[in-house]
Amino acid sequence: HTEDEISRSSHSNPGKNVVNGIKTNPASNSPKSSLPVPMGPPVYVDLAYIPNHCSGKNTDPEFFKRVRASYYVVSGNDAANGEPSRTVLDALLEGKSQWGENLQVTLIPTHDTEVTREWYQQTHEKQQELNIMVLASSSTVVMQDESFPACKIEF
C-alpha cells in the first residue's frame, strides 16, 4: 500500500484494521499481534521489572533482546497461573545470548518458587556463560547507602 492508500483506508474506516498506519490482521485475537516489531537499537536500563508477574503472556526473547537491564525483577508466586513462567526465564537466556556483549545481569526474584529454583539449577552453567547472577529471594540489595531485602522491592 502507498502512504495515500493507508491514509484513505484509516479515514474511511477509522480504527478498523489499521494501527499506526499499519494494516492489522482482524482474525488475530492474540495479545501478540501480527504487527511487526519495529527495528531499532536496544534500550539500556538499570532496572527492569519483567511484565505481568513474569507470565509468558507478554514477554518473549524479543523483550530481552531489546530491553537490556543490569537488573531484572521477577515477581510472581502463582503456579496455577504460570507465574513465574519457565518460558520467560528461558527467554532471558535466549535474548541475552544475542546481545553480542557480555554485560553483567542480575536477576532478582521476589519469591522463592519451585519454578525459579528448578530453572536456576538446570540452567546454572548457561547463566554463568552469559554472566547472569541470580539473587536468592532472601538476598539483600544495597542501593545508595540503603539496604533492604530483595523481595521487598516495590514500584
Side-chain angles (χ1 to χ4, degrees), residues 18-149:
V18 176
V19 176
N20 294 329
I22 300 172
K23 284 199 77 71
T24 61
N25 180 358
S28 175
N29 290 328
S30 71
K32 294 180 186 175
S33 71
S34 61
L35 291 176
V37 175
M39 293 307 296
V43 176
Y44 291 86
V45 297
D46 291 329
L47 179 77
Y49 179 86
I50 298 176
N52 205 21
H53 303 289
C54 195
S55 166
K57 296 174 188 170
N58 299 324
T59 308
D60 60 8
E62 188 64 30
F63 173 83
F64 294 105
K65 289 180 207 172
R66 302 283 298 277
V67 179
R68 299 180 182 186
S70 297
Y71 299 88
Y72 290 101
V73 176
V74 177
S75 71
N77 193 20
D78 186 356
N81 284 320
E83 300 169 3
S85 168
R86 170 69 188 250
T87 303
V88 173
L89 297 171
D90 289 339
L92 167 62
L93 298 176
E94 182 181 337
K96 182 153 187 325
S97 70
Q98 297 180 35
W99 285 14
E101 51 194 329
N102 201 13
L103 300 174
Q104 170 72 46
V105 166
T106 302
L107 193 68
I108 305 171
T110 61
H111 295 88
D112 182 20
T113 68
E114 187 71 25
V115 171
T116 53
R117 280 193 306 270
E118 285 180 7
W119 176 82
Y120 176 81
Q121 292 171 353
Q122 294 169 358
T123 65
H124 188 70
E125 283 184 32
K126 184 73 171 171
Q127 293 167 39
Q128 289 181 319
E129 176 186 316
L130 294 172
N131 205 14
I132 297 173
M133 181 176 69
V134 179
L135 294 180
S137 64
S138 61
S139 295
T140 300
V141 174
V142 178
M143 293 180 148
Q144 298 179 350
D145 303 328
E146 183 181 353
S147 65
F148 47 90

